[in-house]
Amino acid sequence: MKVVNIALDFGVSPGGRFPEDGEYNGQRFREKFLIPALEDSEIVKVVLDGVSGFGSSFLEEAFGGLVRIHHYEKSKLLERLHLQYSDSSLAFYADSIRDFINDAEPE
Amino acid sequence: MAKRPARKLDLACKRAHRRGVQNAQRRAKRQRVRAGWARLLRRSSKSRHPLTNRLTKSIDCPEEMNLSDGYTSTVSVIQEIRSLAKAASRSSFYINFRQIRKITPAAALLLAAALDGWNRLNPHRRLRAVDVPQWDPGVRSLLQQMGFFDLLRVNRKDIGCDLGVDDEDQLRFLQFYAGEGSGGDKATLLRDKIEQFAGPIKGRYALYDGLVEAMTNVTHHAYPGGNGIRRWWISGSIERSTGRLTVLCLDHGVGIPKTLPRTSGEEIRRIFGKLRLAASDDARMIEAATKLSRSSTGRRNRGYGLQRDIRRYVQTHDSHGRLRILSNRGMYVFEKDRDGVETSGLRNHDLSISGTFIEWTIEDYARELL
């Protein structure tokens, strides 16, 4: 199992979709962290603790983008991604990630 | 409702245009009257410059600067400063801050952004504060807290009200931050600043999300055509006496009503508005933008920011919360009361704010400490 700790491995202040939005954007997180982890391991644990927040643009681009752009199969992807958090306030983000994956359509 | 055929739409547009031409004289007269009012509302006059004692063009700030009952007088001053900055005027002028007795954080951020805009457009002609000791001490202190004097050449000892972190001041403005992009680092800084004075706040993640989405929207939508500047300004305030927390985000872009794709009905309303046959529909366009799937990109996966994150910070609180979005002439207000009842309202102003301004207000934040 591969572990991606967003706050430790990527940044504590993620936000935005594209590189023009800043260094900690969703596209970069998807391409540099999520996809390599998914290629390496069947199960990927994504740790949400320690971040300031996300914003929908970041989450949709990072996780919805896996379906839209990289054509991952939704149900398989949801099984492979294990979203972990200890702060109950972060449950909203885990739900949002699932929603964005379910709502995304391959382009 | 059945869609109107394109031909009927064309005829409606042509009829509207014809009517507009027929009324040209009446319109011109109305515009002359409006221009007269605008001149009156513009607070510029000539007065003695405090340093040179020469008669100089003067922009007089009103006694109360706010975006509620003082909207017109406040926005006219801001517009005047921004026009001078754009025109890169070489002539001498003087902004009279001495009259200000009361200023809201919203008006202060508008002023700070106008001066920051001046500095960026006129890097070799930085404005100088010459009569700071004569400003109202309370106003001076609040502006200092916001970082206002960092924008001006000013003698530090003139400010004379360097308040520390532990001061028991009832109203505290927070340092403003400016930048481009999604601004996650700046949103974190501002939230940390709020928690430094207010303690841990409820909905701290929702606040970050709202700010980051507002700034991301600026990058994606506010400055189409792009002259390379996609700047935003954020700040806030904490009022201990009332327990009111305010968070602000501002840009100088083209405004939501100009970037949101219009339905055919909205397009007709826009034409009628342009011909002065109907009131501005800016407020309605802001409201439309807060609905899911209305994004300037027209893409299905876009447009979440205004609908989800920007409203959610108000919705996460148990106390009364208000989201106010001003864009060009329009204003959209969304409120949630203590019983969880959500309401919204629209209003159009005569003067455009020339950009977009988002304000989150939470009443009684102290009751909701984590």
Side-chain angles (χ1 to χ4, degrees):
Chain A
M1 183 173 66
K2 193 100 182 163
V3 179
V4 178
N5 186 318
I6 299 179
L8 292 180
D9 301 335
F10 182 66
V12 292
S13 304
R17 282 180 182 273
F18 310 124
E20 73 201 60
D21 299 332
E23 192 180 349
Y24 304 105
N25 62 82
Q27 182 186 326
R28 183 169 158 255
F29 180 67
R30 186 183 70 231
E31 290 173 349
K32 302 282 183 211
F33 292 85
L34 281 180
I35 290 174
L38 286 163
E39 283 172 354
D40 266 14
S41 172
E42 180 60 22
I43 301 295
V44 175
K45 185 161 91 175
V46 180
V47 182
L48 306 179
D49 288 300
V51 294
S52 293
F54 290 101
S56 296
S57 298
F58 176 91
L59 292 179
E60 201 290 325
E61 191 60 41
F63 294 93
L66 291 171
V67 176
R68 283 190 293 105
I69 296 159
H70 301 276
H71 299 184
Y72 278 85
E73 211 242 308
K74 292 180 195 179
S75 57
K76 190 93 179 101
L77 184 61
L78 288 167
E79 280 173 23
R80 294 180 65 194
L81 286 175
H82 289 194
L83 306 171
Q84 187 188 300
Y85 52 88
S86 53
D87 181 346
S88 61
S89 305
L90 296 168
F92 172 81
Y93 295 124
D95 292 340
S96 298
I97 289 169
R98 290 184 200 105
D99 288 345
F100 286 132
I101 289 174
N102 278 319
D103 289 348
E105 293 300 334
E107 289 172 352
Chain B
M1 201 174 76
K3 252 185 136 180
R4 297 180 75 175
R7 195 175 138 68
K8 279 192 176 176
L9 204 71
D10 278 354
L11 283 173
C13 293
K14 278 178 187 165
R15 268 202 301 274
H17 181 68
R18 225 179 3 248
R19 210 177 308 159
V21 172
Q22 284 164 357
N23 290 336
Q25 275 190 320
R26 210 182 318 162
R27 263 199 338 269
K29 187 181 172 189
R30 206 178 303 150
Q31 276 168 359
R32 278 199 300 276
V33 174
R34 274 170 192 267
W37 272 107
R39 266 197 304 276
L40 270 178
L41 288 169
R42 253 182 226 153
R43 313 202 48 103
S44 60
S45 57
K46 286 213 165 189
S47 62
R48 297 270 170 206
H49 192 283
L51 279 189
T52 60
N53 204 32
R54 285 193 192 139
L55 268 181
T56 312
K57 177 185 167 69
S58 154
I59 302 169
D60 298 318
C61 294
E63 267 191 38
E64 294 199 11
M65 291 196 76
N66 63 63
L67 292 182
S68 304
D69 52 348
Y71 177 92
T72 307
S73 53
T74 300
V75 172
S76 64
V77 163
I78 303 295
Q79 296 296 44
E80 188 95 356
I81 298 170
R82 286 178 62 185
S83 301
L84 283 166
K86 272 187 204 159
S89 168
R90 301 298 305 169
S91 59
S92 179
F93 68 93
Y94 165 67
I95 308 170
N96 185 357
F97 291 101
R98 281 180 296 182
Q99 289 161 190
I100 309 174
R101 296 283 171 271
K102 219 170 167 186
I103 188 164
T104 61
L109 185 64
L110 251 68
L111 261 182
L115 296 185
D116 187 42
W118 171 279
N119 287 344
R120 293 178 71 79
L121 291 167
N122 303 278
H124 305 300
R125 200 170 170 231
R126 198 161 174 177
L127 297 175
R128 182 160 49 136
V130 292
D131 55 357
V132 178
Q134 291 163 53
W135 297 15
D136 180 275
V139 169
R140 197 171 56 193
S141 165
L142 291 170
L143 291 176
Q144 189 209 9
Q145 291 165 7
M146 192 175 260
F148 190 80
F149 292 108
D150 300 338
L151 299 164
L152 301 164
R153 284 192 290 145
V154 60
N155 191 341
R156 286 276 147 199
K157 71 174 179 2
D158 284 352
I159 304 171
C161 51
D162 193 16
L163 298 170
V165 172
D166 297 326
D167 286 308
E168 286 298 319
D169 39 308
Q170 292 295 303
L171 174 60
R172 172 168 273 275
F173 285 7
L174 301 171
Q175 172 72 43
F176 85 86
Y177 299 101
E180 295 180 12
S182 66
D185 53 341
K186 298 290 180 1
T188 302
L189 276 173
L190 181 62
R191 192 185 65 184
D192 289 350
K193 218 43 163 180
I194 290 170
E195 295 195 320
Q196 184 185 340
F197 295 111
I201 52 166
K202 191 175 179 187
R204 60 195 306 275
Y205 293 109
L207 171 58
Y208 175 89
D209 295 351
L211 273 169
V212 159
E213 283 303 307
M215 294 185 279
T216 302
N217 278 347
V218 174
T219 311
H220 291 183
H221 311 296
Y223 299 93
N227 51 4
I229 298 168
R230 294 174 173 182
R231 201 162 177 79
W232 43 252
W233 296 263
I234 59 172
S235 184
S237 72
I238 294 161
E239 197 169 351
R240 288 190 175 137
S241 57
T242 57
R244 178 181 296 155
L245 170 65
T246 308
V247 182
L248 315 157
C249 179
L250 168 72
D251 71 67
H252 285 171
V254 297
I256 294 169
K258 284 199 177 159
T259 56
L260 195 71
R262 288 170 177 260
T263 62
S264 51
E266 287 165 351
E267 184 57 22
I268 287 183
R269 272 211 314 268
R270 184 187 70 81
I271 294 167
F272 273 54
K274 262 201 137 173
L275 295 171
R276 307 259 183 226
L277 297 170
S280 159
D281 70 345
D282 286 1
R284 279 206 209 189
M285 294 306 292
I286 303 169
E287 184 187 37
T290 65
K291 291 178 180 157
L292 194 58
S293 81
R294 293 297 299 271
S295 158
S296 71
T297 63
R299 295 182 60 142
R300 197 174 159 272
N301 64 311
R302 307 287 288 274
Y304 290 109
L306 267 173
Q307 199 273 341
R308 279 169 63 108
D309 298 325
I310 290 178
R311 197 183 286 212
R312 189 163 63 88
Y313 180 52
V314 166
Q315 291 171 316
T316 52
H317 284 268
D318 299 328
S319 62
H320 182 257
R322 182 181 74 164
L323 165 70
R324 181 165 65 150
I325 306 175
L326 292 117
S327 195
N328 295 351
R329 292 175 200 277
M331 179 170 82
Y332 166 77
V333 178
F334 169 80
E335 289 189 76
K336 187 190 75 75
D337 69 15
R338 287 196 169 83
D339 299 323
V341 178
E342 295 180 353
T343 51
S344 62
L346 306 175
R347 185 178 166 184
N348 286 300
H349 292 103
D350 283 342
L351 272 179
S352 169
I353 201 166
S354 301
T356 299
F357 174 80
I358 302 178
E359 178 187 64
W360 296 266
T361 306
I362 303 297
E363 305 287 351
D364 213 1
Y365 70 85
R367 259 180 20 148
E368 295 190 312
L369 293 184
L370 290 175

